[in-house]
Amino acid sequence: MSYLALSLTLIFVLIPLILSKTLKLGLEKDTFIATIRSIIQLLAVGYVLKFVFDSNHFIYIFLMIALMIGTATLNARKKGKSIDGITWKIAVTLLTVEVLTQAILLGFHIVPATAQYIIPISGMIIGNSMVLSILFLNRFTAEMHAHRDQVELILSLGGTPKQAIHHQLISAIKASMIPTIESQKTIGLVQLPGMMSGQIIAGADPIQAVQFQLLIVFILLTTAAVSSIFLGFLSYPTLFNSRMQMLKEKF
Amino acid sequence: MDKVYEPAIHFNHVDFQIGDSKIIKKVTGSFPKGKITTLVGPSGAGKTTLLKMCNGLISPSAGEIFIHNKLITDYDPIDLRRNVGMALQAAPMIKGTVFENLELPLALQSKKLPEEDAISYLDDVGLERDFLHKNADDLSGGQRQKVSIARTLVNQSEILLLDEITSALDRASLKEIEELIVKINGKYNVTMIWITHNLEQALKIGHYTWVLMQGEVIETGESKLLENPQNDLVKHFVQGVIK
């Protein structure tokens, strides 16, 4: 795409700006900031990726993944402030999902062990895991507050903290996984996934683009399941003390 | 208290505080074994806090609690809570049938409750066997409280803590629950500690009474103390409630 053509795509920014101004939505400033940030961030990452792909050195791949995990952790942790140690719990969850997925992909030679494959796939894994973590924490916190009396009931009858929080934990895990599963049911029928569309526009064979998209779709299922379950089981023990009492400030 | 008795629960200089706020202040005293003791006092006096400390749902900030002469912290929390049952004020139910709710204490130990036993527990609380497979969400306030009490009986606890179980009931249900508590106390010789706002009820049902105000035990003794309190604060409280 030429720079002139790229400049013309700003028309798609002008349309919402004009609509916002006309209808007094008050979104002009946010739209403007979002546009500038996306230009700067994407161009910067484009140059960084070019450098990393050209060098194809392990340390740069590692640094890129560490940066992704760090940024995703900082973003997701805001939703789980009531859970002690939520920062490291999210970081460990993202790292586990990344290591597990890449071990399968690289171990079975499903994709080549090059920066060109590892980094974009890692971005999708970590990004999806971050969204899942946020969904899970949102739901889990809401469930805990809404069903405090049930947790107390089970403890009062001699249940363990795990038994007491089981229902809330399972509800939150299911609720966070449902969007991933549901969106995959209509994939290709309602929406063409971004990665596949990008490959086709760039001139790739549609069948090959579909194959890669299937790979990502399946990875995202694992990501969804492992992220919410792992984070859930790391999180719930911090809501109780060693005498199996609910920590008042957490509920 | 006037007579010599064996304590089921003993408090020794117990404090409970959250931040700078003291909810329970230097409480010392015993709850007699096999008897019904009522806890009365104005809202916010610390009655529920005191009750929750008895089965380890919360721990004192200072002081000691003994259950059957053994320090509460020497009990495994799970064993303690099975031995000291509690019926919560709101009578929360898990989703499912009355049977599933009755079976809950055993299900938590991976055990099953035979249906005949469940019917017997329902009978204890004056509910027909037809209730067994009713959805718990469809129960009235009184029925929920009865199921909640029956559920605490399943663990065959030696001590039962009852947190305002009649506060939201109509007159008929209230009378039924009162009779039920007396029946359970007699049949199973269970020690009962019952929070109530109803002083007539405390006089009628309770063998002993503790009057709590602002986290302190102001007066204790046989329930008839409510007819003629010695302490001015208690006198004022009793007159206020009766008016």
Side-chain angles (χ1 to χ4, degrees), chain A residues 147-161 163-164 167 240-249, chain B residues 18 52 55-59 72-73 75 77-78 81-82 84 86 88 92-95 104-105 107-108 151-152 155:
Chain A
H147 300 287
R148 188 187 188 283
D149 57 345
Q150 297 223 348
V151 177
E152 192 169 48
L153 166 72
I154 292 173
L155 289 177
S156 75
L157 292 170
T160 62
Q163 288 172 323
H167 176 76
F240 303 87
N241 64 17
S242 60
R243 296 291 301 165
M244 299 189 187
Q245 295 164 338
M246 294 158 75
L247 293 173
K248 207 174 175 67
E249 65 276 13
Chain B
I18 299 174
K52 284 183 178 178
N55 82 337
L57 280 178
I58 51 176
S59 293
I72 199 166
T73 47
Y75 282 90
I78 293 175
R81 288 168 192 161
R82 285 180 190 154
V84 184
M86 184 165 181
L88 300 163
M93 296 284 134
I94 58 161
K95 278 206 180 302
L104 181 62
L108 294 171
R151 189 171 53 193
T152 52
N155 269 338

Side-chain angles (χ1 to χ4, degrees), chain A residues 133-144:
Chain A
S133 300
I134 290 172
L135 284 174
F136 169 79
L137 290 171
N138 259 340
R139 183 61 183 254
F140 189 44
T141 313
E143 286 278 333
M144 269 161 36

Side-chain angles (χ1 to χ4, degrees), chain B residues 23-142:
Chain B
I23 316 287
I24 295 290
K25 299 167 196 165
K26 293 269 173 279
V27 167
T28 296
S30 300
F31 294 106
K33 194 173 177 183
K35 301 290 179 192
I36 302 172
T37 305
T38 54
L39 285 183
V40 300
S43 298
K47 303 185 292 293
T48 298
T49 305
L50 202 77
L51 214 62
K52 284 183 178 178
M53 282 198 274
C54 295
N55 82 337
L57 280 178
I58 51 176
S59 293
S61 313
E64 295 162 319
I65 299 172
F66 296 87
I67 309 287
H68 293 139
N69 298 317
K70 184 175 161 184
L71 200 58
I72 199 166
T73 47
D74 288 343
Y75 282 90
D76 173 76
I78 293 175
D79 291 341
L80 172 73
R81 288 168 192 161
R82 285 180 190 154
N83 201 23
V84 184
M86 184 165 181
L88 300 163
Q89 186 180 0
M93 296 284 134
I94 58 161
K95 278 206 180 302
T97 61
V98 167
F99 178 75
E100 284 169 293
N101 272 278
L102 287 176
E103 196 181 37
L104 181 62
L106 294 183
L108 294 171
Q109 304 170 54
S110 307
K111 291 178 187 167
K112 299 263 179 213
L113 176 69
E115 195 162 307
E116 282 312 307
D117 288 2
I119 292 166
S120 164
Y121 285 119
L122 280 187
D123 183 53
D124 277 343
V125 296
L127 288 175
E128 302 288 323
R129 62 169 60 205
D130 304 352
F131 276 91
L132 205 57
H133 298 292
K134 262 197 171 186
N135 192 321
D137 286 341
D138 298 335
L139 299 176
S140 69

